[in-house]
């Protein structure tokens, strides 16, 4: 299935950076879930470029819920959300039509779509398409919250600066979801922003790591094979542009630990079974164990940079220099944060609906 | 879909560690692909425990191809491969029936299957189930090889020791596929084996990192959204027991690089478009760019260790000490290698069949 | 998958009869297929109610292609087509909110969606939702035509009057696709229309049978099990409102024949292998044999009738009489025709893309 | 997905008529469902050829449950059932290797599999493959029965003789499930058997109609679009060899009725909402309404007949006469009955698990 994710709850996205409309169809959510348009707008704001450290394309996202919501609640039928494109400067891109921007999909799009792709601004590959995912994800996030499942993501590392680790996760999640630049320690946030500004000034860009925690997931969700929680989450996370790594719990650091250090011992916490540590990120054998889900995503530096780069003209099949113009972000990690939260919410809604039935989130 | 992976080419696996048979159904492969039973046996040998650094359970895997192969070639209809279980010592496990082994799926299985799961030896969660995946994967690996697509995986890090990076990938792949302990640098292999032996002697276990390279993939395979090559590969990789991280190209290291360092510049190599570096692991915008696919998997230390651990009896809901007996590997990374190759082969066959049709691999 | 059909080529539909917009997302079509908006408009016209024998709701369908088409051709990425709802008279329905209209989905919608469904005019169950399917189907029909695959459907029976059988199928298909009331024999068409008018005058409605033929399909498409051509076509056909039977070739009449009468003997037609008869409707063992696909759909009489009916108020759980007001068709079969053609086209595009790859229709 | 059906509960089948083993993998059933091997054997007996009116190939079906059942109950993980092939007379078929048997899949298999198909006895297209479906279906039938959902199918018409319609459905279902030749009226059964014998004596074969009723399904199951109950059931029914028509409720007869005759009025039956008639077969708008599901399947006459037929040699591309030898059924409808029940059970388990979660059938 191409631009559709999920089985019981599914998301289909459509649109191109400079086309008429972008958007998403979210299907299979339980009926009766309240839909708060202000919260959708809030989430879209978190994704929108902000201030000096983002592209100058400052676009409102005047979304329309075209179906699937009636009297303020989900009906249980497909929710189509559409966002018209505005303020598109298509002429910026025509000059570089056949120049493969390094790190971008121009060349691979051409290999796949044989030149029929809408090349303007990255077309269907543009990060802009994530706006539809964020709008749909906002409904999923709210549905999960009604069931006590909350998601929070911070920039755990950016441009060589690390945030503090999660502490009181409930409080941290609450705080993060109000921030535009989601860093738990304000001082380090300032450090990151300074680094981003410096990179921007030298025509360059930076990447980072997003760390996510999810509290409130019941134990027993996921499958032992193929649809493990790790598999399902990584599937949707790796379709977010720029994500090149996903790790759960201690992740790659486990490679250097002994089993006695990496195992999470169990213990009783009153009537509840918990683990003492959470190196496995809340997942054993592909199935949730009731502890917080915890995982990180590596976000590569924005590939659009202003330094001249060597590349090819893939129509002429010859080497060519490339000087990117237009409006671009020196970092996308702070904007990618809400995309991660949204993607995770949709995947979890799907896993829960498969496990407990389509009414579960109602 | 639970124990089934893939759309055009699909794999279904079945079985439990101490049940009657384990195995797999591989469906959708093109007709006319030669099936070499010796190669399947060879691949199963790579997965089987070997020598001091592995469990004492030394089991032959006398597989039977029950369908889908006729006169030595695939028919295009489902290939069922079954492997009877032998040498099962079920009584080893009954004493610890309700003790949640840390890092294992005992507790989560109980949450999901309500006590009806076959608990013996990890049941359906056992690494033994990967034998079916490896047998099916051997056919996929051979089919890809016929099309010039070759896969190689080495232990790039184990117990704190690093292998050398890939050099001449064609030669490295050829060498790796003959090795039982797949390390490119023999001296470092010895270092790793020593560390594993030491861990075993102290009743502990170690993890590591597997790095894979795939050469020969055509450009233009994969989807921009949801079924990106990263999404599809990580989906199947994260269902291999013990894998807790997957990264493509430079992966998490990208978080600390500038865009100008991370971007892969394009250049002409004769008539062919190539990239100067391969930090994106052969994938741009979710689609292959014709460069080698390159990615790594973090493998956690084997959770079965002989040191006493604190845990709970989840039937009685009380704390309990656990002393694991039985036969266990101090490391599985060398055995997981061929599982990774097999999983990757099946996923690539699926992506290629979706792109080019069901006859493509014939 | 709920409101999504298909694997390699997929269709997602959304919308409610009296909501903001209805429409569809068509994904996976090859890039480079010309998109003719006039033809889409033409197809939508065939679906729109016409004259005395249809509802008085005479709505223009000013569709917008919001994505996936660039410079007049498909890009290969999702095509979203949206059609705003206009001229909705929602107040007609509020009085009968909890009265289950016989033959309609009011009661079952309530069982499934617990009262949160948009009940106005049938909501998401309305035949109006097929407009999105028809708009998307128009693109699929044109794509198939470019490959020499043509679809034609006639009303083979309506209100007790039978049309003549298919004769020269090429000519018949061409003629049918220009007709508003698709009947091969004009005299019998007049007979049907008279019967429909009479039913309308007595506050009643009629049903009928649609027979479809598809020429130009290559041999060897479809699967022996589960995704037989019959399975895939019937799957999408049975989701068209009002269709209660699907039969291939001789269908139910085969029940009274001997094998020697029902078998289709093969013979050479020059270099081509053909069958003498086509009782199996162009499909053997679930796979196309190169003969025309031929099948029929039973369409039930429109359930909205003006005669008083006995029903229940499902909120109050009591018996209640029902007098339907509003605008309703005494027959929908002539409008369902183009919906059948569209559904068939989408299913065939999917089967072909699975078989021959995603570029096949380009 | 090729030889796999279903989403939450899925079935994968494998095998060829004259290969090593046939069988099925049933996945996603709830844990804790009792598995009665005697009942599986009983169901396989109903599928096996019996007496004069069936082929002389009288094969025991010594199935083995290889996984997914532990201590007599489902574990919730894949149930693999394998049935070794015995008593295969492969030499019967070699002479006719390239002769396309009319009504069979020999030619279409060749178009799809390019000659690599196992041609012996129909290979993967053989009705024998349904034994795996029946074995898996037996578990699904028992699971449904535990929830009060019961399925019964009778031969409503065969060789021009009609059975009486369903009367007391509960009693009829109970009676049918004990019969080898499932006809409600014994006298008419005798008439059918006489007709079959006559057809056999003249080297010919007969077809018929199977009518199925399902009681106990809750209201509110199914989807408005694409996965309507009709769509899902017809999808699996049309993959049973020989089925060429499926109709729900009044089906094709609706084409000649007025809306006022076809609509099912609702009324209260105590606290329960029921319909007065059941012309819609228990389904409104694609969703169950709580009334019995009722539908019929047209079964074509067995294509293997002893009369000489005209056909082609598709290797030589020339006309050729065909005289079929070997063992063949003059009718398969009485054997197809249990295949229909099994297929329906699997599809309903899937629909229920999607609706109510994976524990629903436990």
């Amino acid at each position: 299935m191409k631009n559709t994710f999920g089985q019981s709850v599914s998301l289909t996205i459509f649109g191109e950076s400079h086309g008429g409309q972008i958007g998403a169809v979210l299907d299979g959510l339980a009926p009766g879930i309240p839909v708060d348009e202000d919260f959708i707008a809030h989430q879209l704001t978190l994704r929108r470029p902000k201030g000096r450290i983002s592209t100058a394309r400052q676009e409102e996202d005047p979304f329309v819920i075209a179906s699937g919501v009636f009297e303020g609640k989900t009906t249980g039928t497909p929710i189509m959300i559409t966002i018209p494109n505005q303020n598109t400067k298509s002429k910026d891109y025509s000059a570089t039509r056949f120049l493969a921007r390094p790190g971008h999909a121009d060349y691979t799009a051409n290999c796949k779509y044989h030149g029929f792709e809408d090349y303007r601004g990255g077309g269907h590959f543009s990060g802009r398409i994530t706006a539809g995912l964020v709008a749909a994800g906002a409904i999923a996030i709210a549905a999960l919250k009604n069931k006590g499942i909350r998601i929070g993501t911070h920039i755990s590392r950016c441009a060589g600066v690390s945030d503090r680790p999660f502490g009181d996760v409930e409080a941290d999640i609450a705080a993060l979801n109000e921030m535009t630049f989601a860093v738990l320690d304000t001082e380090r946030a300032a450090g990151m922003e300074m680094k981003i500004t410096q990179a921007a000034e030298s025509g360059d860009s930076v990447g980072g790591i997003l760390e996510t925690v999810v509290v409130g997931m019941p134990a027993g969700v996921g499958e032992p094979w193929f649809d493990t929680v790790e598999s399902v989450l990584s599937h949707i996370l790796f379709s977010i542009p720029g994500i090149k790594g996903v790790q759960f719990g201690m992740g790659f650091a486990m490679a250097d630990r002994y089993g006695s250090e990496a195992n999470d011992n169990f213990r009783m916490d009153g009537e509840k079974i918990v683990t003492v540590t959470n190196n496995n990120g809340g997942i054993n054998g592909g199935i949730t164990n009731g502890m917080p889900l915890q995982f990180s995503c590596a976000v590569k530096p924005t590939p659009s940079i202003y330094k001249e780069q060597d590349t090819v003209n893939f129509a002429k099949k010859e080497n060519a220099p490339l000087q990117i113009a237009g409006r671009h972000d020196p970092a996308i990690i702070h904007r990618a944060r809400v995309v991660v939260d949204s993607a995770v919410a949709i995947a979890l809604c799907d896993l829960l609906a498969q496990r407990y039935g389509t009414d579960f989130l109602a």
Side-chain angles (χ1 to χ4, degrees), chain A:
Chain A
M1 193 67 66
K2 293 174 177 52
N3 295 274
T4 298
F5 173 89
Q7 295 180 53
S8 284
V9 171
S10 68
L11 181 76
T12 300
I13 58 174
F14 59 84
E16 293 88 30
S17 181
H18 290 62
Q21 302 173 36
I22 63 163
V25 182
L26 177 61
D27 193 14
L29 268 194
I33 297 171
V35 174
D36 177 350
E37 299 210 4
D38 289 344
F39 181 64
I40 299 173
H42 168 76
Q43 294 292 94
L44 286 169
T45 300
L46 295 181
R47 199 205 68 86
R48 254 202 313 276
K50 274 276 152 42
R52 267 187 320 169
I53 61 169
S54 297
T55 161
R57 180 174 174 178
Q58 302 283 353
E59 189 160 332
E60 294 271 321
D61 291 320
F63 66 91
V64 173
I65 299 179
S67 70
V69 176
F70 182 54
E71 298 178 345
K73 291 189 176 136
T74 58
T75 59
T77 57
I79 301 168
M80 198 282 266
I81 308 177
T82 178
I83 308 174
N85 278 325
Q86 302 171 315
N87 187 21
T88 55
K89 297 193 179 170
S90 297
K91 68 176 174 238
D92 282 352
Y93 297 94
S94 52
T96 56
R97 168 70 182 99
F98 297 110
L99 298 182
R101 289 171 298 158
H104 275 288
D106 306 318
Y107 171 60
T108 56
N110 196 261
C111 294
K112 183 173 173 65
Y113 301 118
H114 309 303
F116 295 105
E117 64 275 11
D118 181 350
Y119 57 84
R120 300 167 300 166
H124 186 57
F125 293 80
S126 170
R128 170 138 184 82
I129 309 310
T130 59
L133 200 159
V134 168
I139 300 174
I141 286 169
L144 291 170
K145 202 173 173 187
N146 291 344
K147 288 285 171 187
I149 300 167
R150 286 172 305 286
I151 305 169
T153 297
H154 72 129
I155 304 172
S156 68
R157 190 166 176 87
C158 177
V161 182
S162 289
D163 192 15
R164 73 157 166 85
F166 276 107
D168 174 346
V169 287
E170 297 278 358
D172 284 349
I173 290 172
L176 288 170
N177 289 328
E178 295 306 314
M179 294 179 191
T180 303
F181 194 80
V183 177
L184 293 167
D185 180 321
T186 340
E187 249 175 81
R188 306 191 198 196
M192 291 178 194
E193 298 202 53
M194 196 183 67
K195 290 276 204 171
I196 297 173
T197 307
Q198 286 171 352
E201 283 165 4
S202 65
D204 218 325
S205 64
V206 300
I209 297 175
L210 290 169
E211 187 187 28
T212 302
V213 71
V214 182
V215 295
M217 276 292 287
V221 175
E223 301 295 333
W225 293 97
F226 301 133
D227 282 357
T228 68
V229 174
E230 292 106 327
S231 292
V232 171
L233 288 177
S234 70
H235 194 128
I236 196 164
L237 289 168
F238 271 123
S239 69
I240 300 173
I243 289 192
K244 297 299 280 191
V246 173
Q247 60 184 358
F248 291 84
M250 196 185 271
F252 279 90
M254 273 198 170
D256 282 349
R257 302 295 171 88
Y258 289 108
S260 58
E261 298 167 311
N263 279 350
D264 298 310
N265 286 354
F266 289 93
R267 67 172 176 80
M268 297 306 304
D269 179 13
E271 279 301 291
K272 200 170 178 306
I273 293 169
V274 298
T275 61
V276 178
T277 49
N278 192 14
N279 299 327
N280 283 279
I283 307 164
N284 291 136
I287 297 173
T288 55
N289 66 10
M291 296 298 292
L293 296 181
Q294 200 155 352
F295 51 90
S296 306
C297 298
V299 181
K300 73 176 187 181
T302 327
S304 290
I305 58 176
Y306 293 102
K307 291 186 169 172
E308 189 179 282
Q309 298 176 88
D310 293 329
T311 190
V312 299
N313 180 312
F314 51 80
K316 296 188 182 166
K317 292 215 162 187
E318 62 185 27
N319 290 323
L322 173 71
Q323 178 61 57
I324 292 182
R327 308 158 300 185
H328 304 289
D329 292 322
I332 55 156
I333 190 162
H334 54 299
R335 301 175 58 194
R337 184 266 305 236
V338 69
V339 184
V340 165
D341 287 351
S342 302
V344 167
I346 285 160
L348 295 180
C349 285
D350 186 26
L351 285 166
L352 289 163
Q354 286 183 54
R355 178 75 177 86
Y356 301 112
T358 48
D359 286 350
F360 177 70
L361 291 166

